[in-house]
Amino acid sequence: MRTTQLGRASQRASAPACGRRRVVSCSARVVAEPPSSKTGPIILDGQVLHSITPERLALVSTLGSFVENEVQPLLKPVEKCWQPADFLPPSEDPYFLDQVLELRKRTEGLPDEYIVTFVGDMITEEALPTYMAMLNTLDGVRDETGAAATPWAKWTREWTAEENRHGDVMNKYMYLTGRCNMKSIELTIQNLIGSGMDPKTENNPYLGFVYTSFQERATKISHGNTARHALEHGDELLAKICGSIASDEGRHEIAYQRIVEKLYEKDPDGAVLAFADMMRKQIVMPAHLMDDGEHSIKNPGRNLFADFSTVAERSGVYTAFDYADIMEFLIKKWKVADRSHESGDAAEAQEYLVKLPDRIRKLSERAAARKSKAKTAKTQFSWIFNRTLDV
């Protein structure tokens, strides 16, 4: 899962007036009381929690058969899935070391920019526990026991199982290349999982599935581009790995987009308001809190995620223009411009969404023009043994 950060456009205040809050202050944090019909909104760390209305929560509860019949079939049976071992030298093979040497020779042509981009994507995939936890914060769809037999719970676990293969194969492949400082990468992964993420989805499945619809498409684009670049640099096997991951993300993208499409069918006002809300907040990359523990020390004033994103953008793996293209794709996919809405707020959200991709493209063009004139900085990346890249 991935996307770059953009400059913030107009963003609505997520918290209601203070007089409507019923919370208990604890130091700098705000700790919410348990929800009830008599309390006001729950506010935690500046955002509303459990923001879905009872009516919309009831609607989500009716979609179990839809998930079972239209979403779960997009997952492949385990026996038909590729596994990391399908792409890696078999360690039991007597010629294993010879195959590793061939792999290392093949990857000598990968430039450092590619390695950093690939590693950043790999670290993002390795933070999978965070993404499963995020899905299980969503009201009405979470796995209440850890092994619940509901369609929503089964989807989350089986989606996670398919995703788990991605980080595994990427990590093992990079380990065998000898091109990376694996301990630094492992520290980054542990720090990232420990830091978590906050996509601003408010425990609201409407918001959560807009987020995942966007992120899965972004990930598909990113892995598709790393596949193309690997082929250009002479590593056909790595291209197959990245392409296989992109194919998985393509199926997952369709699954989440079907869910939002169903919400549009049942509740067009609620769906368009959720879509606009997430676009106003902006879709943050799941790995925006990545930290290797040394990047900002060796490169004072710099941020690891921001520098990784710059390298990825300059490499053409994922750019702000891709962000705009994804928005435009979803607007067409969900027929946003063609729908009728009952409330004025929903009609306003519809108008905002339809205009947004062009607005983002203009902002991106200006940002690109500024970057082209700005001086680059030599920045060390611990992932490649502190070799420097221009950012």
Side-chain angles (χ1 to χ4, degrees):
M1 302 172 112
R2 61 163 302 124
T3 182
T4 49
Q5 294 265 31
L6 299 171
R8 288 200 176 275
S10 59
Q11 179 178 346
R12 68 166 178 79
S14 60
C18 289
R20 295 177 58 204
R21 301 177 185 175
R22 185 174 179 184
V23 295
V24 180
S25 177
C26 179
S27 185
R29 286 178 67 86
V30 180
V31 181
E33 293 182 343
S36 79
S37 60
K38 297 181 180 179
T39 65
I42 302 170
I43 314 298
L44 181 64
D45 292 339
Q47 69 169 303
V48 179
L49 302 188
H50 308 289
S51 64
I52 191 170
T53 65
E55 295 78 12
R56 287 179 173 135
L57 185 59
L59 187 156
V60 169
S61 71
T62 69
L63 300 183
S65 60
F66 163 77
V67 172
E68 187 172 18
N69 296 324
E70 301 295 332
V71 177
Q72 285 183 341
L74 288 164
L75 296 169
K76 287 186 176 182
V78 173
E79 62 273 13
K80 293 185 178 180
C81 285
W82 60 264
Q83 296 298 335
D86 295 330
F87 296 106
L88 301 167
S91 58
E92 73 278 9
D93 193 305
Y95 299 103
F96 170 71
L97 294 179
D98 293 332
Q99 294 178 54
V100 171
L101 288 175
E102 290 177 9
L103 184 154
R104 291 188 171 211
K105 184 176 181 180
R106 189 172 61 246
T107 58
E108 287 177 355
L110 299 175
D112 283 344
E113 289 81 2
Y114 182 92
I115 297 291
V116 165
T117 301
F118 184 93
V119 167
D121 282 355
M122 178 189 79
I123 289 167
T124 303
E125 294 285 351
E126 290 278 48
L128 182 61
T130 297
Y131 316 141
M132 186 178 188
M134 187 276 283
L135 288 173
N136 279 325
T137 68
L138 301 179
D139 293 330
V141 303
R142 68 174 61 90
D143 185 347
E144 297 286 1
T145 70
T150 66
W152 290 111
K154 289 175 67 177
W155 162 262
T156 295
R157 293 196 303 271
E158 291 170 12
W159 168 84
T160 302
E162 281 200 354
E163 288 277 339
N164 187 63
R165 294 143 53 246
H166 301 170
D168 277 358
V169 69
M170 296 172 79
N171 194 315
K172 289 171 182 174
Y173 196 88
M174 279 296 108
Y175 172 78
L176 292 175
T177 69
R179 297 287 306 277
C180 301
N181 182 340
M182 293 307 298
K183 184 168 184 179
S184 173
I185 291 169
E186 290 156 1
L187 288 169
T188 309
I189 293 168
Q190 185 170 350
N191 283 333
L192 178 57
I193 295 173
S195 296
M197 63 177 286
D198 182 6
K200 308 297 182 186
T201 51
E202 304 175 3
N203 309 103
N204 186 328
Y206 277 57
L207 300 179
F209 294 132
V210 169
Y211 179 85
T212 50
S213 294
F214 193 107
Q215 274 291 354
E216 293 286 15
R217 186 165 182 83
T219 308
K220 181 185 75 172
I221 291 169
S222 178
H223 286 300
N225 284 329
T226 55
R228 178 170 54 84
H229 293 168
L231 197 58
E232 292 170 356
H233 297 308
D235 194 335
E236 185 175 345
L237 181 58
L238 186 56
K240 288 181 180 178
I241 290 173
C242 296
S244 298
I245 294 171
S247 179
D248 281 354
E249 305 293 8
R251 288 185 292 105
H252 300 163
E253 166 198 4
I254 293 169
Y256 288 117
Q257 289 166 14
R258 279 187 187 175
I259 294 171
V260 178
E261 191 170 24
K262 193 68 173 178
L263 294 176
Y264 257 107
E265 176 189 322
K266 299 283 189 179
D267 180 15
D269 279 21
V272 77
L273 288 169
F275 190 9
D277 187 25
M278 289 309 300
M279 292 303 99
R280 288 191 178 101
K281 292 171 179 175
Q282 299 179 22
I283 302 294
V284 297
M285 183 177 176
H288 67 280
L289 297 177
M290 66 168 54
D291 179 20
D292 63 354
E294 55 184 293
H295 191 84
S296 61
I297 298 172
K298 293 180 177 178
N299 308 283
R302 305 205 66 85
N303 173 272
L304 177 57
F305 166 71
D307 286 342
F308 150 65
S309 296
T310 297
V311 174
E313 184 151 14
R314 285 188 173 173
S315 301
V317 168
Y318 187 82
T319 72
F321 295 100
D322 291 318
Y323 187 102
D325 289 345
I326 294 170
M327 291 189 331
E328 187 168 67
F329 172 86
L330 293 176
I331 287 167
K332 291 179 179 177
K333 175 74 175 178
W334 295 329
K335 299 180 175 63
V336 173
D338 302 331
R339 297 182 184 271
S340 298
H341 294 285
E342 295 180 1
S343 75
D345 286 345
E348 183 180 341
Q350 178 188 42
E351 183 179 4
Y352 164 76
L353 287 167
V354 170
K355 293 179 179 178
L356 192 56
D358 285 343
R359 181 182 180 191
I360 294 297
R361 287 192 184 97
K362 290 177 182 177
L363 291 172
S364 300
E365 288 169 0
R366 293 173 192 165
R370 287 195 300 270
K371 287 180 181 179
S372 67
K373 298 176 183 177
K375 292 183 178 179
T376 59
K378 296 286 185 183
T379 305
Q380 296 181 29
F381 283 87
S382 65
W383 304 338
I384 52 173
F385 300 102
N386 295 316
R387 295 191 294 274
T388 61
L389 293 177
D390 291 336
V391 297

